[in-house]
Amino acid sequence: MPAAHRRPKQRSLSGSTVRTAATLALASAATATAFEGGTAHAEPHLTPAQVKAKVDKLYQEAEVSTEKYNGAKEKARKAQKEVDSLQDEASRRTEALNSQRRQLGSVAAAQYRDGGVDPSVALLLSSTPDRYLDEASLTDRVGTRQAATITRVRKELREIDQLHTQADGSLSELRGKQQELQRQKKTVTKKLGEARQLLDRLDPADRSRVTDPATDDRASRSAPRDEVGKATNSRAAAAISYAQNALGSPYVWGATGPNAFDCSGLTQAAYRAAGVSLPRTTYAQINAGRRIPRSQLQPGDLVFFYSGISHVGLYIGNGQMIHAPNPSAPVRVAPIDQMPFAGATRVS
């Protein structure tokens, strides 16, 4: 066999070569693990203060998405209501149209017995009468009563078609809002999951210090009641009273009571109990009354935080508010200096 076609002789691995290869393989595997899934092991140890900063940021980001979720849910509800209304109206109008067509059917039967069906009546009894109704000249062949009926039927057909078109548009909008709901839900769940993982890395004592503010809820339960008499009006007093009774209730994103709340859900529920209807979201609630400067705050005012208006509380006086903070803390009293102040509104 020519030399060019000979297969090269296989070299056997010596013991030292095998050990070297194994060492390199293990090193490569360790590197791959570090990049693919082991980054948590490489992350430096975080102090409780650093964990708190990260958790607070995640909670704030989750609350932004929560308010977007609340807004999308409200819009989806309205879109669903619009779809239902349009579909009901279309069904009602279609039934009325069918009644008119049945009346024309009686006329057609009589004409058939007399020797034939007028073309204008026949076309209205067909499965697609709108195909012919644009031929206005046909109405000249029937009597005044039938012509008027044909005109009404033509108008009904066009209006029913318009209703179906509007319903299709509302249905498309509804699907878009439902998709937005799912996107925001995933974001909130992801952020809250990351915060929970960080907190789980702390020992119980450190975790308690991170999640519990200096204010003691049990001691503060009676504090707001001294300020109720100074509320701007009876509705504000009633809202504060509701919020007082909600102290200790868990934070659940998307909840509006009576047993759990998110931040805007609490203020909405409090004023609903006072007979006032507030919008669902923080960025809508801030425009639900008269904007006031911080220096003029009175008990019952709504106080808002962060540049994106993503958090709200109910002011109770003495620089304090009742609010639903986050999943690691129940409804409680807290100083308004605890977060970046963004504005205030007095509900009228």
Side-chain angles (χ1 to χ4, degrees), residues 286 291 294 303-311 339-344:
I286 196 171
R291 300 285 287 272
R294 180 169 176 168
V303 283
F304 299 87
F305 304 91
Y306 300 104
S307 59
I309 318 298
S310 60
H311 191 77
M339 292 170 286
F341 186 84

Side-chain angles (χ1 to χ4, degrees), residues 156-214:
E156 285 292 314
L157 282 167
R158 289 173 177 168
E159 291 180 355
I160 290 171
D161 183 63
Q162 184 177 11
L163 284 171
H164 283 302
T165 300
Q166 290 175 336
D168 288 343
S170 295
L171 186 59
S172 177
E173 179 184 355
L174 172 60
R175 287 169 179 161
K177 298 304 177 188
Q178 290 171 335
Q179 290 173 355
E180 175 66 12
L181 274 175
Q182 292 305 311
R183 285 194 295 271
Q184 298 303 335
K185 182 177 181 179
K186 288 180 180 178
T187 300
V188 173
T189 303
K190 179 176 180 292
K191 297 292 184 184
L192 295 182
E194 291 175 1
R196 189 163 48 250
Q197 288 177 357
L198 283 169
L199 291 173
D200 287 345
R201 293 168 58 184
L202 297 176
D203 61 54
D206 285 338
R207 187 183 309 122
S208 178
R209 282 191 288 271
V210 166
T211 57
D212 292 342

Side-chain angles (χ1 to χ4, degrees), residues 143-163:
T144 303
R145 179 177 295 181
Q146 292 182 17
T149 302
I150 291 172
T151 299
R152 285 197 303 273
V153 169
R154 177 166 50 225
K155 182 173 180 291
E156 285 292 314
L157 282 167
R158 289 173 177 168
E159 291 180 355
I160 290 171
D161 183 63
Q162 184 177 11
L163 284 171

Side-chain angles (χ1 to χ4, degrees), residues 20-39 41:
T20 302
T23 302
L24 291 173
L26 288 172
S28 298
T31 303
T33 301
F35 280 102
E36 292 173 6
T39 51
H41 299 291

